[in-house]
Amino acid sequence: SDAMARIIVTAPQLMSVVNEELPGHEIVGGDHFMDRQEIADQIVTADALLTSLSDPLDAEMIGKGEKLRVIGQCAAGFNNIDLDAARQAGVVVTSTPGVLHEATADLAFTLLLEVTRRTGEAERWVRAGKAWRYDHTFMLGAGLQGATLGIIGLGQIGEAMARRAAAFGMNVIYNARHEKDVAAIDAVNPNTQPTRRVELDELLAASDAVSLHCPLTDQTRHVINADALATMKETAYLVNTARGACVDEAALVQALKAGSIAGAGLDVFEDEPTITGGLMTMENVVLLPHIGSAALPTREVMSRLAARNIAKVLSGESAETPVE
Ligand code: GLV
Ligand code: GLV
């Protein structure tokens, strides 16, 4: 095994955890965001990179890595990495699935509750010092009991979201490339209907809320476009904790302005951290700064897994969670 491999940590990290998993190596960074130039300078002499989802790991960048053996992405998604270029260069790419789905589903369900029960708007009301008293007809939102949640992408996060929805008495339908095992979802609540896989158009038309849990790929880019939004019910809500570019944000603003959907809860944006004009001033949207997996215990396990993947590849073993 390599003594003193050089590992570049491209973004702020939980370094105590990373250091524990990578003893005896030279570790650079981890306390700031490296820009494209700094990553380009560092990658030349790197044996490994511990990366974040905004790093530009395109073919040109990967091509600079003369000694590079492994990219340990500390995220579920890896749409910032050119996998073909990595494969051609013989660089193993790993990610951190299996450890952040419950936390991310917690946040997706938070957005669903917030947008349907108008908590952002209600809290702004109180903080603004506006008049209120207990009032039977004030700040009424939508209910979740018996409503239908449409899930696009039933991977680990989508499945965890579905279990939460079932616990709240929602019926779940989903769209995915393959039929999934839904036994764990259906076991949650005897009073909900069996979970069904449906075509995308049926999902959009039938759902009271649509939640995105797909990776960003050529197939899912703008899966929620103007047509999709027009297909949704006027009373329906959109939740996105996946990737901003799964939604045509300009079309979403139009649909919200036109009232062709009821609201949106967004943790991710097309051009983060820029928010498309219009969203900022709408009361019926909830805006979060990409914090889906940002629970401390989850982030610790993610850091540990990303670092352990690097350690394993550097010592000639198989990675635990390689990207296939
Ligand atoms: C966050 O967006 C992740 O992919 O883990
Ligand atoms: C989506 O998550 C799929 O696996 O098809």
Side-chain angles (χ1 to χ4, degrees), residues 156-231:
Q156 289 176 316
I157 305 172
E159 201 256 4
M161 179 66 167
R163 283 188 275 106
R164 283 157 181 72
F168 278 74
M170 300 185 83
N171 301 310
V172 175
I173 55 180
Y174 72 97
N175 179 258
R177 285 165 304 164
H178 306 288
E179 196 81 36
K180 302 286 176 156
D181 179 357
V182 296
I185 304 167
D186 289 342
V188 170
N189 188 336
N191 300 315
T192 55
Q193 291 164 18
T195 301
R196 290 186 303 125
R197 176 170 167 239
V198 297
E199 294 298 328
L200 183 59
D201 275 354
E202 181 184 343
L203 180 140
L204 294 167
S207 295
D208 299 301
V210 173
S211 191
L212 296 175
H213 299 285
C214 49
L216 176 63
T217 64
D218 291 341
Q219 286 71 45
T220 63
R221 186 175 300 277
H222 285 193
V223 61
I224 301 297
N225 58 17
D227 284 348
L229 290 158
T231 306

Side-chain angles (χ1 to χ4, degrees), residues 2 47 69-71 90-94 307-320:
D2 304 33
D47 298 283
R69 292 170 61 187
V70 52
I71 297 172
V91 175
V92 176
V93 178
T94 68
R308 207 162 60 227
N309 273 317
I310 289 172
K312 288 211 163 150
V313 174
L314 290 179
S315 65
E317 293 168 54
S318 301
E320 245 171 82

Side-chain angles (χ1 to χ4, degrees), residues 53 73-79 96 100 104 157 241-243 267-268 272 290-293 299 302:
L53 49 86
Q73 170 94 339
C74 193
F78 40 81
N79 54 293
T96 61
L100 53 73
T104 304
I157 305 172
T241 54
R243 283 292 179 270
D267 183 47
V268 289
E272 287 174 22
H290 203 149
I291 55 169
S293 65
R299 288 286 166 83
M302 289 168 66

